[in-house]
Amino acid sequence: MAAIIRKIFHPKKNIPLACAVSLENEPGHLFQSQSCASCPPTTAKILEATMNPNLLLLSYDVTYFNHMGWDDTFGDSRWDKRQQAYLRKRARTTKFTPQVIADGVADGTGAESGAVDDMVNAARGMRSGMSWHIIVDTNDTELRIDSDGMDVGLFDIYLVNYNPKTQVVKISHRNLVKDVIKIGEWNGGNLTIDLPDMSSMAETGLDTVAFIQGANCGPIVASQKL
């Protein structure tokens, strides 16, 4: 493993498309690391490709490259675990950064020309191909799901708090995630659930988005900014 890492990060070689680490049998999101040599050039391309106001790119900084000599100042081991859950769902044997995941459906490094657009189009194709419909709406105290789908499988309901300002520390961080909170589950039909008290959020400068995602990091079928 050490030999592989040295080869990837040798300063006189071309920067790889992605920094990778074997999972070694361990059990539209952007997983990235300030410690990854591939992230600075590739993240810039990803951010440019996701400027569409209809897209919300959430950034998660992972920590498993910290041993390379730079500790990611925004790194959080919770995001290591979240990325690994996505990798297990997609039967991947390697974790890598940067990794773009569009609606839990399509993923890749985003390094190749047009790659991000292809992932977004694949995610949109998934939604348009669903045999049922879903709408999510919120007010100050409640989240409501309206759907004609019944017994569609188990979905988790999440709130994600993120910083909408772009922050630059070695790489650009847009919509840096601060917290992911599961507030309920849904398996079809109409549902109304109480939201946690959000009154203190205005003081933090953070924004919040709700999304409905298949269990164990499955597809995201609906989302709504609060």
Side-chain angles (χ1 to χ4, degrees):
M1 175 60 69
I4 294 174
I5 294 296
R6 284 196 299 270
K7 182 177 180 181
I8 289 177
F9 287 94
H10 195 291
K12 293 184 179 180
K13 292 183 180 290
N14 291 332
I15 295 174
L17 294 181
C19 298
V21 174
S22 171
L23 286 178
E24 297 181 346
N25 300 316
E26 277 190 39
H29 303 297
L30 169 60
F31 292 94
Q32 60 184 8
S33 172
Q34 297 168 9
S35 310
C36 168
S38 304
C39 284
T42 306
T43 296
K45 297 177 184 178
I46 294 168
L47 295 181
E48 182 178 359
T50 54
M51 289 298 292
N52 187 321
N54 292 321
L55 300 176
L56 178 64
L57 182 70
L58 298 169
S59 298
Y60 303 77
D61 276 30
V62 295
T63 68
Y64 48 80
F65 286 117
N66 282 0
H67 66 283
M68 299 305 299
W70 176 277
D71 285 355
D72 192 306
T73 55
F74 298 131
D76 192 318
S77 60
R78 292 178 299 168
W79 313 148
D80 298 16
K81 295 176 182 177
R82 185 160 181 81
Q83 185 187 24
Q84 289 167 15
Y86 274 112
L87 295 168
R88 286 194 299 270
K89 187 73 173 182
R90 305 187 67 78
R92 296 239 186 230
T93 58
T94 302
K95 54 186 176 183
F96 57 92
T97 55
Q99 182 185 21
V100 182
I101 304 174
D103 276 355
V105 174
D107 77 318
T109 66
E112 298 83 4
S113 176
V116 174
D117 289 339
D118 290 344
M119 286 182 263
V120 170
N121 289 334
R124 288 173 174 167
M126 179 277 296
R127 287 199 186 190
S128 64
M130 290 177 5
S131 61
W132 43 272
H133 307 87
I134 180 172
I135 296 175
V136 177
D137 198 9
T138 61
N139 57 29
D140 291 341
T141 60
E142 295 178 331
L143 179 146
R144 177 175 175 81
I145 299 175
D146 292 299
S147 178
D148 56 3
M150 305 298 293
D151 298 321
V152 295
L154 184 62
F155 286 78
D156 296 321
I157 306 171
Y158 288 107
L159 297 182
V160 177
N161 299 325
Y162 62 95
N163 188 338
K165 297 180 179 179
T166 298
Q167 302 169 83
V168 181
V169 180
K170 296 197 75 174
I171 54 177
S172 294
H173 304 76
R174 182 194 299 162
N175 302 325
L176 186 68
V177 173
K178 297 298 185 179
D179 206 6
V180 177
I181 307 165
K182 180 179 174 179
I183 61 170
E185 296 178 347
W186 173 79
N187 62 6
N190 299 334
L191 175 68
T192 299
I193 62 173
D194 292 334
L195 290 172
D197 183 6
M198 307 290 287
S199 58
S200 63
M201 287 296 294
E203 302 174 1
T204 67
L206 301 180
D207 286 353
T208 302
V209 63
F211 59 76
I212 315 303
Q213 181 170 27
N216 301 313
C217 290
I220 296 173
V221 296
S223 59
Q224 174 68 38
K225 285 187 178 181
L226 274 65

